[in-house]
């Protein structure tokens, strides 16, 4: 019988032997179990608190006198008047609305023992949650290692291809006065007059040898940024709506522009554009990218320069009259034309979801910034988006955790930033605390980083922008809740 029982036990399988699909399925299963266990842990906590309150109520009842008036709860919000009939015995609900008469001493002891039992069950559930998270972290680390290996391989292949392209002879003819008719309006803007360009059959308006981008000038002590001479296209995405993609795009773009770089923000939400509202440019948007593709305007007419920082521009991709099908080729052509104007950073604000709009928005990008919140639903969507980015050969991804509540983290009511990073396995760019100034700045049409007195979230956005361009900067300590001046003064006087 012992041998039969041993044969019935399943053999353990190491995570390193699982394939990509099996590993993804395991991650989904473990994430679902962690979510259920967290709910069970919270339920046990509420029951323990209720039993502890019942024990204190029984102790208080023992001190009462007969015929003393009191309020009896009929529901959670409805009370009726009553009187104390006896103080030596009470009715105790032992479960499923079944009541047993006990003395006050027995009832108090019963409630205390129930509290201890529930607390032990909480500790057991907490241990199981930790085990599931460790298993989830192992799978995440393996996935992150595979992602890094694929990124290095893709980078090496791209470098080898660029070297071969440099050795190959260039074909084409020099057009100095007349250019072939490109069709769309964006083609006419990308080609200035009397400039020698090489024409290609697919994109006759794109220069094969664009002018080198000059690195930004910094003040003393700041140094040079990494990859300052290269154009970077970064898509800001999440999968889930309402996590702060547009807010992150506006503040990161403004911060990078303030550092001296030339930045273009592209609002890729065709149906619902909001990036112009956060920048205060809603009244200046006359043309969109669809007007460029229709040939009704030039690229420089649709690019709206910010009124405070001239090196920051906005391009909206929205339809005003009829449905227009934007393709991946259109997005790539738009971004290439923007880069030909000398923009060093192109930030694409991706729409919510993973439908056609998402695929079109990520098509011209080489890097991705995944925005998420410390919620299990947002984390699951972010994990799904990370897989789709890998499937589209975007391996250089970074994580931005938004709307962090340090006070809830201390009470174990919210996952910490480290927990989110371990579950996703993506390098952390920054953590943005919850801030009511976000609503105020949105209504004013002014990004957080432009406020004269920066809030904690504004400082976090600036630090994240500096790390995004390659500078070393510190992470804000979110272990202790942020306290204002009046709260600090109150603590001083109370102590």
């Amino acid at each position: 019988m012992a041998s039969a029982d041993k044969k019935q036990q399943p053999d353990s399988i190491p995570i390193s032997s699982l394939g990509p699909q099996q590993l993804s399925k395991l991650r989904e299963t473990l994430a679902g179990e962690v979510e259920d266990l967290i709910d069970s842990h919270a339920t046990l906590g509420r029951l323990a608190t209720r039993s502890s309150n019942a024990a204190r109520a029984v102790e208080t009842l023992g001190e009462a006198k007969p015929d003393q008036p009191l309020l009896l709860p009929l529901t959670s919000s409805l009370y009726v008047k009553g009187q104390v009939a006896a103080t030596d015995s009470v009715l105790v609900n032992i479960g499923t609305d079944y009541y047993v008469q006990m003395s006050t001493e027995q009832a108090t002891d019963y409630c205390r023992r129930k509290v201890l039992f529930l607390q032990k069950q909480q500790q057991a559930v907490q241990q199981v949650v930790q085990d599931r998270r460790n298993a989830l972290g192992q799978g995440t680390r393996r996935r992150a290692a595979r992602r890094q290996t694929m990124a290095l391989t893709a980078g090496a292949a791209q470098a080898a291809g660029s070297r071969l392209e440099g050795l190959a002879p260039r074909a084409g003819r020099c057009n100095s006065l007349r250019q072939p008719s490109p069709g769309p309006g964006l083609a006419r803007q990308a080609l200035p007059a009397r400039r020698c360009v090489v024409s290609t059959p697919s994109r006759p308006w794109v220069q094969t040898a664009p002018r080198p981008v000059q690195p930004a000038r910094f003040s003393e002590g700041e140094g040079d940024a990494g990859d300052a001479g290269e154009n970077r296209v970064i898509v800001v995405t999440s999968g889930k709506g309402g996590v702060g993609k547009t807010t992150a795009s506006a503040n990161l773009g403004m911060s990078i522009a303030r550092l001296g770089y030339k930045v273009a923000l592209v609002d890729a939400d065709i149906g619902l554009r909001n990036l112009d509202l956060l920048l205060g440019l809603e009244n200046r948007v006359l043309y969109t990218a669809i007007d460029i593709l229709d040939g009704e305007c030039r690229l420089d007419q649709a690019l709206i320069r910010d009124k405070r920082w001239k090196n920051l521009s906005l391009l909206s991709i929205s339809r005003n009259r009829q449905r227009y099908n934007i393709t991946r080729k259109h997005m790539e052509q738009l971004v290439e034309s923007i880069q030909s104007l000398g923009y060093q950073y192109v930030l694409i604000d991706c729409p919510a979801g993973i439908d056609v709009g998402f695929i079109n928005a990520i098509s011209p990008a080489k890097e991705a910034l995944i925005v998420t919140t410390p919620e299990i639903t947002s984390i699951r969507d972010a994990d799904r988006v990370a897989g789709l980015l890998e499937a589209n050969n975007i391996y250089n991804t970074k994580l931005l955790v938004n709307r962090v509540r340090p006070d809830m983290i201390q009470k174990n009511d919210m996952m910490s930033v480290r927990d989110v990073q371990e579950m996703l396995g993506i390098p952390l760019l920054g953590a943005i605390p919850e801030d009511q100034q976000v609503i105020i700045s949105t209504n004013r049409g002014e990004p957080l980083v432009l406020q004269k007195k920066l809030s904690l979230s504004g400082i976090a956005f600036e630090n994240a922008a500096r790390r995004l361009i390659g500078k070393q900067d510190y992470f804000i300590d979110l272990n202790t809740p942020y306290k204002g001046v009046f709260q600090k003064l109150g603590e001083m006087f109370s102590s």
Side-chain angles (χ1 to χ4, degrees), residues 151-162:
L152 293 176
T153 304
Q158 184 178 3
S162 62

Side-chain angles (χ1 to χ4, degrees), residues 181-189 205 286-302 321-322 324 326 330 333-334:
S181 177
L186 79 120
R188 296 197 295 271
Q189 169 58 23
W205 57 86
L286 300 179
Y287 298 103
T288 64
I290 293 182
D291 297 323
I292 301 176
L293 298 175
D294 285 339
E296 298 180 3
C297 69
R298 301 187 307 272
L299 179 59
D300 60 341
Q301 293 177 317
R321 295 181 299 274
Q322 73 280 349
Y324 196 98
I326 298 292
H330 290 151
Q333 292 172 353
L334 283 171

Side-chain angles (χ1 to χ4, degrees), residues 3 29 40-41 77 97 145 153 166 171 235 316 345 348 408 440 459 463:
S3 60
T29 303
S40 300
H41 186 274
S77 59
D97 292 336
T153 304
V235 60
S316 297
Y345 285 85
I348 303 175
M408 295 184 65
I440 299 176
I459 297 174
N463 295 348

Side-chain angles (χ1 to χ4, degrees), residues 86-108:
T87 59
D88 54 349
S89 62
V90 292
L91 292 177
V92 180
N93 185 0
I94 61 174
T96 63
D97 292 336
Y98 185 74
Y99 291 85
V100 175
Q101 186 173 4
M102 299 181 184
S103 62
T104 54
E105 293 80 5
Q106 292 176 343
T108 304

Side-chain angles (χ1 to χ4, degrees), residues 53 71 107 122-123 154 332 357 436 442 485:
N53 294 336
L71 294 177
Q122 269 191 302
Q123 295 175 359
E332 294 172 0
Q436 62 181 359
T442 301
V485 178

